[in-house]
Every structure is written in structure tokens, then in C-alpha cells.
């Protein structure tokens, strides 16, 4: 008997597409980042740490960020989490991209930037999985700089990412 799909962190996705469209090369890149995440772990003494969740899929991500001495540039990023292939691959890919980025550039990131980074078409139901790491990093920075008061990021709290 053949399975029609797979559960990734509580989300049922087709074995053929994982809820994403695009070339096999990009799907393979996402699977590689999911199975072999970059910057996975903790950073002791991080400038800030923040956690977020996507309750619809069961994704969770905690990001540690180290800023340089002037607190304008991201020096290092690490993450830990659990969830579907898209959320975890997005966190892995974003952790690589954020290093060397300024806080201003982080704040300017949006959903389209994350989807472009993934290189695939994301189904509407999977967008919140894809943007969770971006939201966690942005909210963590805003909390650190006193611009936001929030215990945990949730994709359910943000209608700006929905369409």
C-alpha cells in the first residue's frame, strides 16, 4: 500500500510536492536544509533569543542572534526548532542569509523575500510555515530594541502575511 502523503510537523503534504511548486533542484535544496540544517543549535551569550510558533502546522522555532558591538549588524545566528520541512528549511536558509545583514535590512525583509530565498512556489496554506523564522528574527530584534513587548511570536497573530 502506497502512502498518499507525509506528515511533517503535523502538516499533511503530498509526497510529490511537499506543498511547494517549482523545480526539483529547489525542492531538493529545501529537503537538504531540512535534513541537514545549517546553524542548528544554541549560541551561549546571544544578544537576543526569541521563540515563535505556527500553531496551524505545529512548527516552532527559537532563534539566537549575536549583534556586533555597534548593535547594527548581525554577526551570528543559530536556531532550534521542530516542524515541517518548509519551516525548518526556511530557518536554516535564513540563518545563513542573516549573517552580515544589518538590523535595518532584517526589518525590511518580507514574505516575498523569504519565498524568493526558498526558490519555490509556496501554496497559500504553507506561507505561514515559510515565514515563521523571518517573523521570529524580526520580533526578537524589535523586542531587544524596546519596540515591541511580546513573549512569543505566533503566525496566527499576523494577518499581514496572509493573502
Amino acid at each position: 500500500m502506497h502512502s498518499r502523503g507525509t506528515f511533517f510537523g503535523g502538516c499533511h503534504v503530498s509526497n510529490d510536492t511537499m506543498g511547494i511548486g517549482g523545480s526539483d533542484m529547489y525542492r531538493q535544496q529545501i529537503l537538504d536544509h531540512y535534513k541537514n540544517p545549517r546553524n542548528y543549535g544554541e549560541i551561549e551569550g546571544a544578544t537576543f533569543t526569541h521563540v515563535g510558533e505556527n500553531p496551524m502546522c505545529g512548527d516552532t522555532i527559537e532563534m539566537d542572534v549575536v549583534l556586533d558591538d555597534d548593535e547594527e549588524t548581525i554577526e551570528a545566528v543559530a536556531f532550534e526548532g521542530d516542524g515541517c520541512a518548509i519551516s525548518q528549511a526556511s530557518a536554516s536558509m535564513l540563518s545563513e542569509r542573516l549573517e552580515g545583514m544589518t538590523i535595518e535590512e532584517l526589518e525590511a525583509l518580507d514574505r516575498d523575500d523569504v519565498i524568493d530565498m526558498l526558490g519555490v512556489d509556496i501554496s497559500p496554506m504553507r506561507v505561514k510555515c515559510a515565514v515563521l523564522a523571518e517573523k521570529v528574527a524580526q520580533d526578537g530584534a524589535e523586542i531587544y530594541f524596546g519596540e515591541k513587548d511580546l513573549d512569543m511570536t505566533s503566525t496566527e497573530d499576523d494577518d499581514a502575511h496572509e493573502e
Side-chain angles (χ1 to χ4, degrees), residues 27-162:
R27 281 199 294 267
Q28 290 304 319
Q29 178 177 314
I30 288 172
L31 280 175
D32 179 48
H33 275 270
Y34 175 65
K35 292 177 180 177
N36 306 295
R38 292 14 164 229
N39 301 312
Y40 193 86
E42 297 177 49
I43 300 176
E44 194 166 318
T47 307
F48 64 85
T49 300
H50 188 59
V51 65
E53 68 177 357
N54 172 11
M56 293 299 291
C57 193
D59 305 316
T60 60
I61 292 181
E62 179 176 274
M63 294 192 94
D64 293 338
V65 176
V66 176
L67 299 177
D68 65 0
D69 291 338
D70 65 8
E71 295 192 329
E72 292 180 12
T73 305
I74 298 169
E75 283 190 344
V77 178
F79 79 98
E80 290 186 322
D82 188 38
C84 71
I86 292 174
S87 72
Q88 301 305 297
S90 180
S92 174
M93 294 168 80
L94 189 65
S95 73
E96 290 183 316
R97 184 172 177 191
L98 291 178
E99 290 182 5
M101 190 177 276
T102 66
I103 292 296
E104 190 174 291
E105 291 168 328
L106 168 63
E107 291 172 352
L109 286 177
D110 64 18
R111 177 183 75 172
D112 292 335
D113 294 322
V114 173
I115 292 170
D116 288 347
M117 175 189 70
L118 292 172
V120 295
D121 296 322
I122 304 291
S123 67
M125 292 183 60
R126 309 293 288 167
V127 169
K128 288 183 178 186
C129 303
V131 301
L132 178 59
E134 168 219 350
K135 290 175 52 54
V136 169
Q138 289 172 331
D139 285 352
E142 289 180 32
I143 292 164
Y144 177 74
F145 288 109
E147 299 166 6
K148 188 178 265 190
D149 183 18
L150 183 69
D151 290 331
M152 179 174 23
T153 294
S154 174
T155 56
E156 293 305 298
D157 296 338
D158 185 21
D159 292 333
H161 286 289
E162 290 184 60

